[in-house]
Amino acid sequence: MPLVLLLLMLFGALCSPGQAMSREEKQRLKNQVVEMFDHAYQNYMDHAYPADELMPLTCRGRVRGLEPSRGDIDDALGKFSLTLIDTLDTLVLLNKTTEFEDAVRRVLSDVRLDNDIVVSVFETNIRVLGGLLGGHSMAVMLKEGGQHMQWYQDELLHMAKDLGLRLLPAFNTSSGLPYPRVNLKHGVRGPETRTGTETDTCTACAGTIILEFAALSRFTGDPVFEAHARRALDFLWEKRQRNSNLVGTTINIHSGEWVRRDSGVGAGIDSYYEYLLKAYVLLGDDLFLERFNIHYASIMKYISQPPLLLDVHIHKPLLPARTWMDSLLAFFPGLQVLKGDIRPAIETHEMLYQVTKKHNFLPEAFTTDFRVHWAQHPLRPEFAESTYFLYKATGDPYYLEAGRTIMDNLNRFARVPCGFAAMKDVRTGSHEDRMDSFFLAEMFKYLFLLFAELDDIPFDVEDYVFTTEAHLLPLSLSMAPHSSPAPSNRTSDEELDDSNFDWTCPNTHLLFPDPAFPRILREPIRSAVDKSCPRPAPYREPGMGRPPLRAQDFMANNPEHLELLRRMGVSLIHLKDGRVQLVQHATQAVSAVAAEDGVRFMQEMMELSSQQQKEQLPPRAIQIVSHPFFGRVVLTAGPAQFGTDLSKSSTGVRGFVTVAEPYSGCSEIVNAEYIQGHIALLQRGQCMFAEKARHIQKAGAIGGIVVDDNEGSSSDTAPLFQMAGDGRSTDDITLPLLFLFHKEGNILLEALKEYREVEVLLSDKARDRAAIFKGKPLPGSLIEGSADVQEREEDCLTEATTPTSHEPIGQSQMSTVELDESAPEEVSPVDEDTSPAEEVSAPKEEVKPAEAEPAVAQPQEDRDSEKEEKPEEDTDSSSQSVDELLADWREDLEAFKQMEKDEL
């Protein structure tokens, strides 16, 4: 079957009834994409290179081992200048040939691949090996053009082969599935190299190898790489659930048993499906298309519930596995375009677009009624990717406007003087000191291609396939010599049926003869997102009596209550983070009746936890608006259960910060003449929070900020703090009081040292700078017309929850409750093969500090994307780094002013 048939691109000349975007406007937006790329890339080169990544808030490089560990997320860092390698082919696409040539020379002279360091096989393959191969493809293309890279002698390809050989030891398993990690210097040699002890890997981690390894084999003529990648894919295919034709999320690399049996198209599985289809496109092997189509039919049958994509259990695919979606599934509409299934792509993309407009960015996870589940956003490019492919398929200018929205939000909320900072919380607009390499590798490629005309692109992108990291591999590789793969063991006649092959992508003229059709598909989805907010009450079995111990009466430090729990088969575990976990084993109860009482107690505790979660206040924002910050620095703050409710204030409370005397705020304020009309800065300790608030209110303050006295504390590593009252009426407190951990408070204190007058805005979330300055010229504004961007609607009852575990617990009937003062809304079964195990958060064991300050811990956001742990930022904030940051702000401000003059 000719490969060209699949590669028919979807160039329908569809237009929505609205006015098409002018060529001049597209050109302006394309130029703005290039300017944004320059801002990110140049700051990496100036402040971070040769480190792997840029830390844009502190304007320095992230070097593994020198910064506090962030867990699995750091496995992408190998001390090999990750961001530079990941960005090579982006430079060529954006017509930066000189910069590309300079970058290649730097990689060849500076980058070492033999570091004694453990890295992720998956991340190193897609980012570094893919980056080297994409860079090699571009270098060859430029050299053949006769004007650039004439000195190039396949040096990047030699580095790529060296790296491929260093990754190969990970594939030395009985199944052919790779270990998730490998030591670049020593391979996989056991505990002494910190490798070879893992038993599990994610499906995407093992199934996202074929494009890079096959390209390496065909570029070099060495078939060993492609053979190993094919073997891993064959094993995953054999281990699919034969009835549902779905794969799980996590698999044992030795036995092939599914460790996590939930199946979706997001984190943990996503690029496995992507690589099956793209392996057919790149290599021309019918087997990959056959397998993809079988999987795709099951996805559309079980997982797709337009416009939603919900995880299910592979053995019981009609049973939902969870009630939330993660942001990585945003790539799927783009894959559906390549498949040729345009209608569901339009529907799912529209749902994602409405969620984006509701929260400014796609949260890492969001619920089926489109509320925040995990609030982070690490500047992921998947939504931009699908936007580009849908525009290419339909020609609908609606998707150009979606691209404009992405750019505006990046500039308004993520742009900082030293690059673009990931969003720590999309609800408050607070930042994380992180700019991942994929932001430069992917985001700017797709945005540039979205707005560029054909003559703006230096080569024909139709001649290349995009990897999952958006690296460019030439389709000519399908004709390159390679060893013939071993014949596949086909398992059923159904797999050989012609219905499993869909050879061509349909022409959109035939799909949508009515230009308004895409709009007709989008309208009901927009309405559904706009109107969604209700959440069903927790289920409770009717007719069940009350257990001897009521959940609302339970106290974890009451010996009588603990004895009652023991009799019901409920044990109490103290966790390291201060929480208390309840686990119920029915077989350990003193009687069957007591076991039933225990089950009802756990159910009641879940109900109570869910109700308390609804009463929790979301985090607040402290935005520094004075010179030279101008609203760019946003600090995550904990709220108080008393005083002004900032969520009901459209403007927030704005004022200059003054340190209270005494700093504790526990007695009458002696510098009241300076506090009056200002926002008082206080230190935690020695008295109740409400008492501090009353003292500064009496002194005439318009607000207060309490800084934690626990040195080194940070909102990055601790649950957000919610300040409670003092046990009596707090109606007399009318000013807002917010809480900052030590690290965030130190940023404010250092700013006060440098500048005598620091003005802040206390609000429920970070405000757009155009709204802060109310029509006045924006200091340092680079965003043309940003003040005219439509105001985003308020998120109704936005809530954050902690993830529900799906790990198997055991054979006995067992339930789990974690005691904390924040609770997730959803309670879901662990696994269909075990008895239900449910995790929720409930009232925490009351342990009061010496100053007897009641506190409520907000849930710390987790992420389940590529098995990454919660990042930790450097808690050792020094004045030197702040001075450097302020110096860069001044320099950046001068550049902004000059640019504004040039525009005028």
Side-chain angles (χ1 to χ4, degrees):
M1 178 62 63
L3 179 64
V4 69
L5 289 179
L6 182 73
L7 302 178
L8 293 174
M9 301 310 294
L10 308 172
F11 280 117
L14 298 177
C15 292
S16 64
Q19 185 177 2
M21 184 178 288
S22 68
R23 185 183 179 97
E24 292 74 19
E25 181 64 7
K26 286 181 65 178
Q27 189 77 7
R28 188 188 72 80
L29 292 171
K30 181 208 70 174
N31 292 338
Q32 189 175 356
V33 172
V34 175
E35 184 280 323
M36 292 166 65
F37 170 83
D38 288 341
H39 179 67
Y41 178 71
Q42 201 55 53
N43 272 290
Y44 166 74
M45 296 304 296
D46 291 345
H47 299 289
Y49 181 81
D52 283 316
E53 290 181 343
L54 170 68
M55 299 173 67
L57 297 184
T58 50
C59 299
R60 68 179 192 270
R62 183 180 297 281
V63 179
R64 192 169 173 186
L66 299 184
E67 302 292 334
S69 172
R70 302 177 298 169
D72 290 350
I73 189 175
D74 280 340
D75 289 340
L77 311 180
K79 297 182 179 179
F80 35 37
S81 300
L82 173 64
T83 298
L84 184 62
I85 293 177
D86 220 359
T87 310
L88 288 175
D89 49 7
T90 307
L91 289 166
V92 179
L93 182 66
L94 271 59
N95 295 289
K96 296 184 176 294
T97 310
T98 303
E99 291 88 342
F100 170 74
E101 192 158 352
D102 177 66
V104 172
R105 292 185 185 276
R106 284 177 181 267
V107 170
L108 298 180
S109 63
D110 298 345
V111 174
R112 295 178 58 91
L113 298 174
D114 60 350
N115 300 312
D116 184 6
I117 193 169
V118 176
V119 296
S120 161
V121 173
F122 167 76
E123 296 289 356
T124 304
N125 174 66
I126 65 171
R127 299 201 207 185
V128 185
L129 182 57
L132 291 171
L133 292 172
H136 170 68
S137 300
M138 295 295 98
V140 170
M141 181 268 297
L142 290 172
K143 184 177 181 179
E144 291 175 351
Q147 300 201 2
H148 302 280
M149 301 295 294
Q150 296 304 300
W151 55 269
Y152 182 69
Q153 298 294 327
D154 296 344
E155 289 90 346
L156 291 178
L157 181 59
H158 299 325
M159 288 186 68
K161 184 173 182 179
D162 179 24
L163 180 60
L165 291 171
R166 295 179 185 280
L167 295 179
L168 277 184
F171 291 81
N172 187 23
T173 62
S174 58
S175 65
L177 299 180
Y179 283 100
R181 296 171 185 84
V182 68
N183 187 298
L184 287 177
K185 187 171 186 176
H186 302 294
V188 178
R189 290 168 48 184
E192 68 274 12
T193 61
R194 307 179 301 285
T195 55
T197 58
E198 305 98 337
T199 58
D200 306 335
T201 192
C202 70
T203 302
C205 299
T208 311
I209 306 289
I210 185 64
L211 291 189
E212 292 82 4
F213 268 41
L216 182 58
S217 283
R218 300 193 182 200
F219 272 132
T220 62
D222 187 344
V224 65
F225 305 105
E226 183 172 345
H228 277 87
R230 284 179 177 267
R231 184 184 177 209
L233 277 180
D234 289 344
F235 189 82
L236 288 174
W237 173 252
E238 288 299 315
K239 291 301 177 179
R240 77 193 186 282
Q241 211 290 322
R242 299 303 177 96
N243 292 323
S244 66
N245 279 316
L246 296 173
V247 292
T249 302
T250 308
I251 191 171
N252 185 293
I253 59 177
H254 303 297
S255 67
E257 294 294 320
W258 290 110
V259 179
R260 281 184 52 188
R261 298 182 174 124
D262 47 316
S263 182
V265 296
I269 302 180
D270 48 2
S271 48
Y272 163 68
Y273 294 131
E274 177 185 4
Y275 270 38
L276 282 178
L277 182 55
K278 289 184 176 180
Y280 170 70
V281 174
L282 181 66
L283 307 176
D285 189 336
D286 298 350
L287 180 66
F288 295 122
L289 180 63
E290 176 187 355
R291 291 178 178 177
F292 172 80
N293 281 329
I294 291 172
H295 279 316
Y296 186 77
S298 294
I299 290 170
M300 299 310 292
K301 182 177 181 180
Y302 300 119
I303 295 172
S304 177
Q305 301 178 34
L308 309 179
L309 292 164
L310 293 177
D311 284 18
V312 299
H313 293 275
I314 58 174
H315 295 287
K316 297 180 181 178
L318 298 178
L319 181 64
R322 61 190 190 190
T323 58
W324 48 270
M325 295 166 279
D326 65 75
S327 63
L328 283 172
L329 61 76
F331 90 100
F332 198 67
L335 189 64
Q336 289 178 307
V337 169
L338 186 59
K339 158 72 177 171
D341 200 359
I342 309 296
R343 177 176 184 141
I346 290 173
E347 293 173 333
T348 298
H349 180 276
E350 181 61 22
M351 177 270 292
L352 296 168
Y353 187 27
Q354 295 305 317
V355 174
T356 297
K357 291 202 288 187
K358 182 180 286 288
H359 303 296
N360 297 323
F361 299 98
L362 272 182
E364 274 294 78
F366 52 93
T367 62
T368 53
D369 52 1
F370 314 114
R371 297 184 229 187
V372 172
H373 186 71
W374 299 333
Q376 302 96 325
H377 174 76
L379 307 183
R380 292 201 182 277
E382 285 78 14
F383 180 65
E385 175 185 357
S386 289
T387 301
Y388 160 65
F389 282 115
L390 268 170
Y391 176 66
K392 194 163 189 178
T394 65
D396 190 341
Y398 181 82
Y399 297 108
L400 297 176
E401 295 301 328
R404 188 207 300 267
T405 299
I406 296 170
M407 291 172 55
D408 286 345
N409 288 343
L410 285 172
N411 275 318
R412 295 168 66 199
F413 303 112
R415 186 169 185 141
V416 294
C418 286
F420 291 85
M423 305 307 297
K424 183 176 179 179
D425 193 319
V426 298
R427 298 162 301 178
T428 65
S430 58
H431 293 133
E432 191 175 339
D433 203 1
R434 170 183 178 186
M435 189 179 81
D436 290 84
S437 68
F438 54 68
F439 181 61
L440 285 164
E442 301 183 66
M443 180 69 80
F444 296 110
K445 276 196 187 85
Y446 293 124
L447 289 177
F448 180 84
L449 288 170
L450 179 64
F451 297 111
E453 302 292 344
L454 285 178
D455 54 4
D456 295 324
I457 304 171
F459 55 88
D460 189 353
V461 292
E462 312 285 339
D463 293 336
Y464 297 82
V465 65
F466 287 105
T467 69
T468 194
E469 192 78 0
H471 293 306
L472 294 154
L473 299 178
L475 293 175
S476 58
L477 289 174
S478 63
M479 308 303 293
H482 64 286
S483 61
S484 300
S488 173
N489 296 323
R490 302 185 184 270
T491 56
S492 70
D493 293 335
E494 178 188 2
E495 295 172 25
L496 294 171
D497 193 281
D498 285 344
S499 63
N500 289 325
F501 293 87
D502 187 3
W503 297 106
T504 61
C505 296
N507 187 297
T508 51
H509 282 299
L510 302 177
L511 272 178
F512 306 135
D514 179 5
F517 189 63
R519 179 177 59 83
I520 295 171
L521 291 179
R522 292 191 293 257
E523 284 299 330
I525 297 168
R526 182 179 301 122
S527 300
V529 176
D530 287 342
K531 296 176 181 177
S532 65
C533 270
R535 184 184 291 274
Y539 172 75
R540 185 176 188 79
E541 274 192 36
M544 298 296 279
R546 295 290 182 183
L549 177 62
R550 298 282 301 276
Q552 67 188 52
D553 300 327
F554 172 69
M555 296 183 63
N557 56 359
N558 186 316
E560 293 182 7
H561 291 179
L562 297 180
E563 174 62 20
L564 286 173
L565 292 185
R566 186 194 66 78
R567 295 179 61 83
M568 294 187 294
V570 178
S571 56
L572 184 144
I573 302 171
H574 292 270
L575 302 178
K576 291 181 180 180
D577 60 4
R579 292 179 298 167
V580 177
Q581 185 181 61
L582 296 178
V583 181
Q584 199 239 357
H585 296 268
T587 56
Q588 295 180 7
V590 296
S591 66
V593 173
E596 291 180 8
D597 287 343
V599 170
R600 290 196 293 270
F601 173 82
M602 299 293 280
Q603 291 174 341
E604 198 173 54
M605 184 65 77
M606 293 170 195
E607 276 193 54
L608 180 63
S609 302
S610 181
Q611 292 168 2
Q612 290 184 344
Q613 171 64 20
K614 295 176 182 178
E615 298 171 1
Q616 296 298 307
L617 297 174
R620 305 303 189 203
I622 298 176
Q623 195 166 5
I624 307 180
V625 299
S626 55
H627 171 82
F629 306 92
F630 298 123
R632 292 190 187 93
V633 176
V634 181
L635 307 175
T636 299
Q641 294 179 335
F642 53 84
T644 300
D645 184 355
L646 291 170
S647 66
K648 297 179 180 178
S649 171
S650 60
T651 58
V653 174
R654 178 171 174 173
F656 288 93
V657 177
T658 301
V659 178
E661 296 179 11
Y663 190 24
S664 68
C666 291
S667 60
E668 186 172 345
I669 305 300
V670 298
N671 62 335
E673 67 274 17
Y674 299 108
I675 290 293
Q676 186 172 8
H678 286 197
I679 294 173
L681 195 64
L682 308 156
Q683 186 179 43
R684 178 186 179 187
Q686 302 181 29
C687 65
M688 309 291 275
F689 292 118
E691 186 176 348
K692 298 175 189 288
R694 289 188 177 98
H695 283 138
I696 61 172
Q697 180 172 290
K698 183 178 179 182
I702 59 174
I705 300 172
V706 178
V707 177
D708 193 8
D709 60 346
N710 180 18
E711 186 170 351
S713 66
S714 168
S715 63
D716 300 326
T717 56
L720 282 176
F721 208 68
Q722 183 166 306
M723 297 177 287
D726 55 2
R728 57 193 179 96
S729 175
T730 53
D731 293 343
D732 59 314
I733 301 175
T734 58
L735 52 69
L737 190 69
L738 299 182
F739 179 88
L740 286 179
F741 281 107
H742 186 269
K743 178 183 176 182
E744 288 77 12
N746 223 32
I747 294 175
L748 197 55
L749 287 167
E750 291 294 340
L752 277 172
K753 288 180 183 178
E754 180 73 16
Y755 302 94
R756 293 187 176 182
E757 293 188 341
V758 174
E759 189 179 15
V760 300
L761 174 65
L762 313 183
S763 58
D764 60 332
K765 59 184 177 182
R767 306 287 174 167
D768 179 16
R769 293 169 63 223
I772 294 173
F773 293 98
K774 295 183 179 177
K776 298 177 182 177
L778 292 182
S781 176
L782 279 173
I783 311 164
E784 184 176 333
S786 65
D788 300 327
V789 179
Q790 179 180 358
E791 182 180 354
R792 299 292 185 258
E793 60 182 298
E794 290 289 331
D795 174 26
C796 54
L797 298 177
T798 301
E799 299 169 4
T801 66
T802 52
T804 301
S805 171
H806 294 279
E807 299 297 327
I809 301 278
Q811 299 301 318
S812 62
Q813 185 178 2
M814 177 178 171
S815 295
T816 305
V817 173
E818 287 184 2
L819 300 184
D820 195 6
E821 292 200 275
S822 54
E825 295 257 334
E826 297 86 22
V827 177
S828 58
V830 170
D831 196 296
E832 68 278 6
D833 294 332
T834 62
S835 299
E838 298 157 318
E839 282 191 16
V840 300
S841 302
K844 189 177 187 177
E845 179 182 6
E846 192 174 33
V847 181
K848 295 185 178 180
E851 62 269 31
E853 293 173 352
V856 179
Q858 291 282 39
Q860 180 178 354
E861 303 288 344
D862 277 343
R863 49 178 309 205
D864 189 28
S865 173
E866 302 159 14
K867 299 180 70 177
E868 295 178 0
E869 294 180 358
K870 177 71 184 174
E872 296 181 7
E873 291 180 16
D874 184 9
T875 58
D876 189 17
S877 178
S878 67
S879 59
Q880 181 181 1
S881 63
V882 173
D883 292 340
E884 293 173 354
L885 180 60
L886 293 175
D888 282 324
W889 275 327
R890 295 191 198 100
E891 181 180 338
D892 201 52
L893 180 59
E894 293 302 320
F896 289 163
K897 290 179 179 177
Q898 184 60 46
M899 183 167 287
E900 285 181 331
K901 292 179 181 178
D902 294 342
E903 289 174 351
L904 291 174

